[in-house]
DNA sequence: CATGAATGAGGGTTCATTCAT
DNA sequence: TATGAATGAACCCTCATTCAT
């Protein structure tokens, strides 16, 4: 599904790639959609682990923790998973049409966003945390889309740095805005 | 295609919605894909006009012009076009798989991004403008995705304000970062 | 469908028998079920014509008209249509499960039964006509089933005569019962 | 099978309803068809018992015994088994296509019919008994079909009475016909 | 420029049946 | 006896595309 998209990934091909017979796929998954839902869960799980791992080795304060979260999604190192990113973009597109996919996607996004909001909340007051977290999260999603759909457009390696500067600006209590 | 997605939007249904016969659609478009490519062009055109209109009525300096650009994509007023946003998200997902769509998408994104980069360049030096513009553009794309795939998640009306604050932070010469 | 039954009559086979491509069958019939519904209509039409024709050439009184109706369904002559009978039995079985088929079947049966009831009503009072007509109609249906499912069981040619005697008994005002 | 029809009653579902595993069903029945054949036997057995029970408590003469037989199949009381009737209609439809089912169905019908013929033979001479019994049996089958496929059409409770009057007419030695 | 019937490949899904355990 | 994963054929249905008119 990451390679071909949801519709063009046929059950027959999925089965073949997994070394299964087409019938067996339907023995384990009632519908094709459930394969996608399972993928959502898998990616969500992997994402949570990445965040957890990054936070675990973060020594700094609240700001550093927010940055660790952003790095977990955007760092381009050995652990970058371009296929997972492509899968995630595919899922978000399917979430527009399939209610069940939307529900699963929504749940994952809410959980991640809640986590980021919590981290942001340690720096800012709660009232602004929601919008700030949502903005940073949107930036992550946007980088996902652009990095897969228009490869080469984003200056390589710039994503993490840029989003961190965005975070810095948003988390700055007396804001750049104030100084204008 | 905005409603059903590319694959599920059948030529027959498209024709019906347009008051045409299926055969006539193929008289004007060699392949189904061309309908999508035409949609890309249409949306791009509309987007350019929105930006142009916003910039035309902007009185402020360079910073205000950057903000006008951001507003053109994210302002939630009478001229909001949720269906166009859904179409755009669909297009970006198709760009992952179909080379021709990718090319068209890429072209549009590059043009828009170049425009934003130019506006940003009036504030910052050229060297940082690219990454900053890319970051802000990614945020816009991300808001597009989240607003259509998880409606209700983004605090209503917060997008423009948040992205403006992000811009302010990024455009601030001695940056919040510097003060840390 | 008359030959193989509803489930085992595949669209591919139906198409082939009709000299059509499978896709074309679905161009004219939304679902396989609609083919069956069309068959119901066709059989009903043919049935009505048979009754009409028999009644047209009947010279006798009300009793003869009832008998003409019965003959239209059970006479075993040149115009016997064993395949139509098999189709009708198949339809009645499908009517048990498929609501749409049931509705179509019900409509046809009600119309035929109403006609018979009217004919019977000319002999008996209205109040008993319903039950008598229903009984004779049931006998017709039963002969249909038995003649196709257990060929050779029914003494050849006995159906019409027997059901006419049944009718005579039921239509007899002072009934055989009375004399017991 | 009574609920869904033969084809749509999957082994998996049958197994589940019986609290068995699909594999075990095939341990006891070589083919799915055998499940249907077993059902035929079961229904036949139950039918024979019903007739036997009715005859056992019948005090009257030959005519009463014929009526007892008819009541065994059509009486609508506490012991009515609509599901069994639906099953029987299903079986008769399958008998049209599957030779083995036809054989089983044929055997059961012949046995029942022979019994009825015997009872009728005690009133009439042997030579007419066959056709009369077949007619009455056909009526029973027809009521089965109509009562399940078009519920509400047959005046409730009218079946037994009507078929008894039919029997009376047929069994009347100097027949209604004679008096016409 | 326009219609809409026609094609045929391909996809999701079901399911009787098998079989290792 | 019993399980339930596994198979693979078959089926209904969809749909982009073609084409005679």
């Amino acid at each position: 599904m990451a390679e071909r998209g949801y519709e063009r990934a046929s059950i027959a091909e999925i089965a073949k790639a997994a070394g299964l017979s087409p019938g067996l796929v339907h023995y384990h998954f009632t519908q094709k959609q459930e394969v996608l839902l399972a993928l959502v869960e898998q990616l969500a799980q992997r994402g949570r682990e990445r965040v957890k791992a990054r936070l675990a080795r973060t020594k700094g304060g609240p700001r550093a923790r927010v940055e660790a979260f952003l790095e977990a999604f955007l760092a381009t190192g050995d652990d970058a998973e371009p296929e997972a990113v492509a899968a995630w973009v595919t899922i978000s597109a399917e979430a527009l049409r399939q209610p069940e996919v939307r529900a699963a996607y929504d749940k994952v996004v809410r959980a991640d966003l809640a986590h980021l909001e919590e981290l942001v909340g340690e720096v800012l007051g709660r009232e602004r945390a929601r919008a700030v977290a949502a903005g940073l999260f949107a930036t992550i999603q946007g980088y996902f889309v652009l990095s897969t759909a228009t490869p080469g457009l984003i200056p390589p390696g710039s994503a993490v740095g840029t989003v961190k500067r965005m975070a810095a600006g948003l988390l700055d209590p007396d804001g750049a805005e104030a100084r204008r």
Side-chain angles (χ1 to χ4, degrees), chain A residues 14 20 27 48 52 96 105 113-114 132 137 148 152 155 166 178:
Chain A
I14 290 169
L20 307 174
Y27 180 79
R48 268 179 254 122
K52 200 174 163 187
L96 300 201
Y105 178 81
L113 187 52
V132 166
F137 201 76
T148 50
M166 286 174 168

Side-chain angles (χ1 to χ4, degrees), chain A residues 64-132:
Chain A
R65 295 172 66 79
V66 169
E67 292 189 346
F69 184 99
L70 301 173
E71 282 164 5
F73 285 93
L74 293 177
T76 56
D78 293 346
D79 60 345
E81 300 182 78
E83 200 167 47
V85 172
W88 193 248
V89 173
T90 297
I91 289 164
S92 60
E94 288 305 316
L96 300 201
R97 334 278 176 199
Q98 303 188 47
E100 296 84 356
V101 177
R102 167 172 296 200
Y105 178 81
D106 193 76
K107 191 180 151 203
V108 173
V109 169
R110 272 176 204 279
D112 282 351
L113 187 52
H115 192 179
L116 177 56
E117 193 180 336
E118 189 191 321
L119 299 178
V120 168
E122 290 169 20
V123 181
L124 295 177
R126 286 280 140 162
E127 73 279 8
R128 280 188 52 206
R130 186 66 187 272
V132 166

Side-chain angles (χ1 to χ4, degrees), chain A residues 4-180:
Chain A
R4 308 236 193 290
Y6 178 74
E7 293 284 352
R8 277 177 290 260
S10 72
I11 291 285
E13 203 174 5
I14 290 169
K16 198 175 199 175
L20 307 174
S21 66
L24 188 53
V25 172
H26 271 97
Y27 180 79
H28 290 291
F29 298 91
T30 308
Q31 296 182 57
K32 183 182 176 183
Q33 191 192 63
E34 284 189 10
V35 178
L36 184 61
L37 295 178
L39 175 59
V40 174
E41 272 320 302
Q42 205 172 90
L43 289 176
Q45 174 67 18
R46 249 195 272 173
R48 268 179 254 122
E49 283 163 9
R50 289 172 73 100
V51 171
K52 200 174 163 187
R54 289 267 174 181
L55 283 176
R57 58 176 191 264
T58 298
K59 301 217 161 55
R63 276 188 165 79
R65 295 172 66 79
V66 169
E67 292 189 346
F69 184 99
L70 301 173
E71 282 164 5
F73 285 93
L74 293 177
T76 56
D78 293 346
D79 60 345
E81 300 182 78
E83 200 167 47
V85 172
W88 193 248
V89 173
T90 297
I91 289 164
S92 60
E94 288 305 316
L96 300 201
R97 334 278 176 199
Q98 303 188 47
E100 296 84 356
V101 177
R102 167 172 296 200
Y105 178 81
D106 193 76
K107 191 180 151 203
V108 173
V109 169
R110 272 176 204 279
D112 282 351
L113 187 52
H115 192 179
L116 177 56
E117 193 180 336
E118 189 191 321
L119 299 178
V120 168
E122 290 169 20
V123 181
L124 295 177
R126 286 280 140 162
E127 73 279 8
R128 280 188 52 206
R130 186 66 187 272
V132 166
L136 293 172
F137 201 76
T139 305
I140 292 171
Q141 299 298 313
Y143 270 124
F144 279 1
V145 173
L146 292 180
S147 67
T148 50
T150 62
L153 187 70
I154 304 293
S158 74
V160 183
T162 305
V163 75
K164 280 190 196 169
R165 270 190 292 278
M166 286 174 168
L170 292 169
L171 298 178
D172 183 15
D174 27 75
E177 237 173 342
R179 271 169 294 116
R180 270 213 273 168

